[in-house]
């Protein structure tokens, strides 16, 4: 972790501790609120649009503004979480452990401070804070890449809304950090694949694109295609997937003959379900067992999907297993998790 105050931690380093599937409920509202309020309007707008496009924000006609704001903050964490995992899928793990020399890092810090002088007020404050984050990052690639991704989001939203002055500030800051990151070959390779993941994830999954995904999955070469992997990740972690969809997906994947493919897909599904339950309940102080229980049995669809993914996973090693038997195991396991909720809440 960066050695930052809560105010400086608005860069999301504290927020991204939910990289583990259960740690989101440890994040205090104070950190979340500070993380959110210190972001420029362009970054907030980008997050809101992403949440709306992915069906994560409720209809404002039927819910209070307070609840909407609370949900938007959670969407910010979900976006950060998804982004972190997509970066790893694009091959970014090696780069995350890399470091840039102190002179290059300090030059970037000074550039941010220089760009801030001519930037609109809220962006200037943001860049000044990021200059501190850059300094305390000690040149770590993972932390610098997160700053780059945020700046790219801000630039994108400024262009979308026609805010020329803000766009220029974001572009200058984005290009300055990209110039440094591009000196690393691992970053260039990972970023090229990540861009495909990001662009694909931004687009809604139409009926046609889902059909295309299923057809692509039957071909064993799909594991090398970034577009197919991006669609697959979006599909398995979407709010609209049903048990029948999961069954069809497993059949398509199994036809490809790719070893351990369903195990990896199941891992993505489980991680996403647990993360989402933790994020949804993060301001309620629920313990880990309760979050897991909500991930599995909060709704009938949760239970059906969880059972189907586990059933398809079990079939990889035992074709004779029955879906009803797996369902009993899921319910039994959920009951054990529910019993752990009597242990009290986390702070």
């Amino acid at each position: 972790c960066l050695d930052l105050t809560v105010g400086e931690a608005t860069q999301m380093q504290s927020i991204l501790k939910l990289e583990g599937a259960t740690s989101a409920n440890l994040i205090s509202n104070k950190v979340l609120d500070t993380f959110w309020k210190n972001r420029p309007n362009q970054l907030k707008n980008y997050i809101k649009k992403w949440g709306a496009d992915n069906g994560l924000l409720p209809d404002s006609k039927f819910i209070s503004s307070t609840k909407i704001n609370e949900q938007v903050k959670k969407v910010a964490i979900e976006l950060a979480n998804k982004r972190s995992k997509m970066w790893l899928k694009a091959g970014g793990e090696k780069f995350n452990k890399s470091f840039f020399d102190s002179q290059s890092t300090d030059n970037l810090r000074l550039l941010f401070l220089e760009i801030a002088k001519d930037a609109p007020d809220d962006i200037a404050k943001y860049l000044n804070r990021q200059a501190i984050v850059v300094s305390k990052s000690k040149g770590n690639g993972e932390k610098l890449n997160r700053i780059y991704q945020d700046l790219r989001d801000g630039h994108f939203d400024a262009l979308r809304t026609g805010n020329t002055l803000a766009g220029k500030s974001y572009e200058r800051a984005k290009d300055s950090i990209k110039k440094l990151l591009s000196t690393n070959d691992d970053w260039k390779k990972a970023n090229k694949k990540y861009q495909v993941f990001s662009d694909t994830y931004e687009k809604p999954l139409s009926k046609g694109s889902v059909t295309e995904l299923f057809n692509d999955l039957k071909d064993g070469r799909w594991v090398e295609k970034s577009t197919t992997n991006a669609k697959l990740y979006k599909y398995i972690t979407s709010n609209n997937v049903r048990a029948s969809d999961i069954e069809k997906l497993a059949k398509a994947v199994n036809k490809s003959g790719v070893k351990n493919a369903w195990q990896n897909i199941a891992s993505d599904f489980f991680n996403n379900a647990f993360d989402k339950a933790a994020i949804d309940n993060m301001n309620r102080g629920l313990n880990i067992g309760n979050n897991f229980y909500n991930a599995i049995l909060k709704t009938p669809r949760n239970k059906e999907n969880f059972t189907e993914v586990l059933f398809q996973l079990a079939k990889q090693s035992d074709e004779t297993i029955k879906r009803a038997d797996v369902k009993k195991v899921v319910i039994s396991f959920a009951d054990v998790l529910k019993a752990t909720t009597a242990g009290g809440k986390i702070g």
Side-chain angles (χ1 to χ4, degrees):
C1 265
L2 290 172
D3 181 19
L4 299 174
T5 66
V6 171
E8 292 166 347
T10 56
Q11 168 51 28
M12 87 172 64
Q13 183 63 24
S14 295
I15 304 299
L16 281 180
K17 282 186 178 180
L18 63 76
E19 186 61 24
T22 64
S23 60
N25 59 331
L26 300 177
I27 302 170
S28 70
N29 280 334
K30 183 178 180 182
V31 173
L32 177 57
D33 289 341
T34 307
F35 164 76
W36 176 253
K37 75 180 181 182
N38 285 325
R39 301 173 80 75
N41 289 331
Q42 289 74 26
L43 294 182
K44 292 180 179 180
N45 291 339
Y46 184 91
I47 290 166
K48 289 176 182 176
K49 187 176 186 304
W50 185 86
D53 290 346
N54 285 278
L56 301 176
L57 293 178
D59 192 329
S60 59
K61 295 178 183 177
F62 305 104
I63 194 167
S64 69
S65 58
T66 301
K67 286 290 185 182
I68 288 286
N69 290 335
E70 180 181 298
Q71 188 60 33
V72 168
K73 293 173 186 177
K74 292 179 179 180
V75 167
I77 296 179
E78 185 160 349
L79 173 59
N81 195 34
K82 288 277 199 311
R83 173 166 286 163
S84 180
K85 290 180 178 177
M86 286 191 287
W87 176 252
L88 292 177
K89 284 181 171 294
E93 185 173 5
K94 184 178 179 182
F95 171 76
N96 282 355
K97 299 174 183 177
S98 65
F99 286 85
F100 294 88
D101 64 82
S102 58
Q103 186 60 61
S104 298
T105 304
D106 194 53
N107 287 342
L108 178 63
R109 178 186 69 83
L110 294 173
L111 274 171
F112 275 14
L113 294 176
E114 187 64 28
I115 296 168
K117 292 178 182 178
D118 300 320
D121 187 56
D122 63 332
I123 300 175
K125 290 178 181 177
Y126 177 72
L127 289 175
N128 282 322
R129 286 193 297 272
Q130 298 320 297
I132 296 172
V133 175
V134 168
S135 179
K136 295 194 176 186
S137 74
K138 301 186 187 302
N140 175 251
E142 180 180 13
K143 293 163 186 172
L144 294 180
N145 187 51
R146 287 177 187 157
I147 298 174
Y148 168 73
Q149 291 176 345
D150 262 5
L151 291 171
R152 191 183 59 191
D153 290 349
H155 183 230
F156 177 83
D157 188 77
L159 292 178
R160 183 180 65 83
T161 57
N163 192 331
T164 304
L165 184 58
K168 287 181 178 178
S169 298
Y170 279 114
E171 186 173 29
R172 288 179 64 195
K174 173 180 70 74
D175 289 349
S176 65
I177 194 168
K178 184 178 181 180
K179 184 177 180 180
L180 175 60
L181 295 173
S182 296
T183 62
N184 184 294
D185 288 339
D186 292 326
W187 184 83
K188 287 192 289 187
K189 291 176 185 176
N191 192 58
K192 184 177 180 180
K193 287 186 177 181
Y194 173 80
Q195 194 63 54
V196 175
F197 264 87
S198 183
D199 290 347
T200 302
Y201 207 93
E202 297 295 327
K203 300 172 184 174
L205 278 173
S206 64
K207 186 176 181 180
S209 61
V210 171
T211 300
E212 185 180 8
L213 168 63
F214 279 34
N215 289 334
D216 288 344
L217 288 175
K218 296 173 185 177
D219 183 346
R221 293 172 295 179
W222 67 266
V223 291
E224 304 297 329
K225 298 179 181 178
S226 296
T227 50
T228 305
N229 278 279
K231 287 179 185 176
L232 175 59
Y233 182 69
K234 182 176 178 69
Y235 187 72
I236 199 66
T237 60
S238 75
N239 291 334
N240 298 321
V241 69
R242 298 177 181 274
S244 57
D245 301 321
I246 293 169
E247 182 180 10
K248 293 175 186 176
L249 187 67
K251 288 180 180 179
V253 170
N254 290 337
K255 279 189 177 181
S256 72
V258 176
K259 189 177 180 181
N260 296 325
W262 189 254
Q263 284 88 332
N264 293 330
I265 292 169
S267 178
D268 284 339
F269 174 85
F270 294 142
N271 280 334
N272 180 71
F274 292 143
D275 281 351
K276 191 171 188 329
I279 292 169
D280 285 345
N281 295 290
M282 62 181 298
N283 57 339
R284 295 174 58 196
L286 297 182
N287 66 20
I288 291 173
N290 210 324
N291 283 327
F292 276 11
Y293 179 86
N294 285 335
I296 299 171
L297 289 179
K298 186 175 181 180
T299 67
R301 186 187 293 187
N302 282 61
K303 181 173 68 175
E304 291 168 6
N305 287 357
F306 199 98
T307 299
E308 189 62 36
V309 171
L310 201 59
F311 173 59
Q312 296 299 334
L313 185 61
K315 283 176 65 177
Q316 302 295 309
S317 56
D318 183 3
E319 279 287 340
T320 66
I321 197 164
K322 304 296 182 184
R323 186 181 278 105
D325 294 331
V326 174
K327 186 175 182 179
K328 290 177 183 177
V329 172
V330 169
I331 294 173
S332 177
F333 177 54
D335 288 341
V336 172
L337 293 174
K338 187 68 172 176
T340 68
T341 65
K345 297 181 178 182
I346 291 178

